Amino acid sequence: MKLNKNDKVGIISPSSFLRDPKSIDLGLEYLRSLGLIPVLGQHVYSTYRYMGGTIENRVTDIHNFFADSEIKAIFCTAGGAGSQYLLPHLDYELIRNNPKPIFGFSDNTALQLAVYAKTKTASVTGFSLKYDFKDGQIDSLVNQSLQQIINNQKPDLHYGQTVRGGQSEGILIGGCLSLLCDLCGTEFYPELDNAILLLEDDDEKTYKTDIKLLQLKQSPNFKKIKGIIFGKFSNMEIIDPEDGSIDEVINEFCKDLDIPVIKDFPYGHIPSRVVLPIGVPVRLDADNCRLTYL
């Protein structure tokens, strides 16, 4: 997944539109500071309803960048909502024949997981040009972990708390829990066999997260997963005391699992997070809260 100096990278808006076109200026300048050359899609600043252009607008930008051999990676401007509209309209044969990583976060999860489900192309989750510069500068952990990926380094990550001990190896799959559940029952749902799940969410009610985790547990091949990494579940709302906290929800979900599980991993809708490749093999050592890329 290494990117070299003077590599061109495509910029797309597959989810929500940019209310302020200048909101990605710092992100673009950051990419340039890494030696990369951002190439803006024709419809990066387009709008249609709450999304970054029509389906055709956004699909055109994606196809153009996958077809262009000079483009070595694709970066999403922002999350929000709407990337699921694109999934039935993408040319997965084109993507399969011209694999390159999509860097994104939040709602971009749907696009990343669909591309993996259809083509086995890896992506990078946990970074976006708008979100990571909303305070004027990039967080040090985001910066460090992103540059490790760009330089093709394999970080050895020690974070989180043990929920269920043990060690296992598998393919890291996941992102935003809500988007993963939204794909359930569709042809764009990723294969969970041999997966180590990475899960986070934001601005939800704890009882709804409880039900989403139950949906996940009842989905095909869940029993074949190899482990779970729970990131941060931020801005969670407890409607009634009986609903429980997010920690109580996670602990209840995991009490009958016999696979390695950790929680409180620094990934999610939080300012300081680890940027992670997904769709690649990893080893999870839950006893020591250690994630290693193989």
Side-chain angles (χ1 to χ4, degrees):
M1 206 173 281
K2 181 175 176 59
L3 297 177
N4 299 307
K5 186 176 181 180
N6 294 323
D7 276 351
K8 294 181 180 180
V9 296
I11 310 299
I12 62 173
S13 296
S15 299
S16 291
F17 72 92
L18 299 171
R19 291 185 181 276
D20 178 5
K22 294 183 179 180
S23 62
I24 62 169
D25 285 356
L26 289 176
L28 296 173
E29 188 56 39
Y30 171 75
L31 294 182
R32 295 186 186 103
S33 76
L34 300 180
L36 303 176
I37 302 173
V39 179
L40 271 61
Q42 180 182 352
H43 303 287
V44 161
Y45 300 114
S46 295
T47 63
Y48 175 73
R49 300 178 63 207
Y50 54 86
M51 294 167 283
T54 64
I55 293 172
E56 182 181 14
N57 290 159
R58 292 175 286 155
V59 167
T60 295
D61 282 355
I62 293 172
H63 286 170
N64 285 344
F65 285 139
F66 272 103
D68 187 343
S69 61
E70 291 190 352
I71 299 296
K72 304 305 181 183
I74 299 172
F75 284 79
C76 299
T77 59
S83 70
Q84 282 175 271
Y85 272 105
L86 310 181
L87 308 187
H89 305 278
L90 293 175
D91 183 344
Y92 293 102
E93 189 67 20
L94 170 67
I95 295 171
R96 184 182 299 107
N97 292 333
N98 301 276
K100 55 196 72 175
I102 298 172
F103 288 70
F105 186 45
S106 191
D107 183 73
N108 309 148
T109 295
L111 173 61
Q112 293 172 318
L113 292 183
V115 166
Y116 176 78
K118 289 290 192 177
T119 72
K120 295 298 183 285
T121 299
S123 290
V124 178
T125 184
F127 175 78
S128 78
L129 296 174
K130 177 183 175 181
Y131 186 87
D132 282 302
F133 295 89
K134 62 182 181 180
D135 295 324
Q137 62 184 4
I138 191 169
D139 171 78
S140 60
L141 181 57
V142 175
N143 176 53
Q144 177 189 23
S145 55
L146 177 63
Q147 290 202 47
Q148 284 177 327
I149 294 169
I150 288 175
N151 292 320
N152 202 32
Q153 299 172 358
K154 295 181 179 179
D156 190 2
L157 304 170
H158 294 260
Y159 298 104
Q161 299 180 34
T162 302
V163 179
R164 307 287 291 184
Q167 301 85 34
S168 65
E169 295 181 2
I171 304 298
L172 189 65
I173 296 294
C176 183
L177 173 63
S178 291
L179 274 299
L180 179 60
C181 288
D182 287 344
L183 295 180
C184 279
T186 74
E187 61 184 288
F188 311 109
Y189 191 69
E191 175 59 63
L192 298 185
D193 189 6
N194 198 42
I196 291 180
L197 292 180
L198 173 70
L199 303 172
E200 65 86 27
D201 217 330
D202 176 59
D203 197 24
E204 270 291 2
K205 300 174 177 62
T206 58
Y207 81 87
K208 286 193 174 183
T209 298
D210 185 65
I211 297 302
K212 288 176 182 177
L213 288 173
L214 178 62
Q215 179 186 11
L216 181 62
K217 185 179 285 188
Q218 294 173 346
S219 65
N221 287 335
F222 177 83
K223 293 181 180 179
K224 296 181 180 180
I225 69 170
K226 301 298 185 182
I228 303 176
I229 300 168
F230 285 102
K232 297 292 187 177
F233 287 72
S234 50
N235 303 311
M236 303 301 285
E237 183 180 3
I238 302 173
I239 300 299
D240 294 308
E242 294 79 9
D243 295 346
S245 67
I246 187 61
D247 278 330
E248 290 171 322
V249 167
I250 290 174
N251 291 338
E252 178 71 17
F253 174 78
C254 295
K255 70 179 184 181
D256 60 348
L257 299 182
D258 58 357
I259 54 175
V261 181
I262 63 174
K263 67 179 180 180
D264 289 332
F265 191 84
Y267 166 80
H269 285 71
I270 53 176
S272 185
R273 84 196 78 84
V274 176
V275 181
L276 299 164
I278 54 173
V280 298
V282 298
R283 176 176 176 80
L284 174 61
D285 177 356
D287 295 318
N288 297 295
C289 295
R290 181 179 182 184
L291 178 66
T292 308
Y293 282 85
L294 303 178

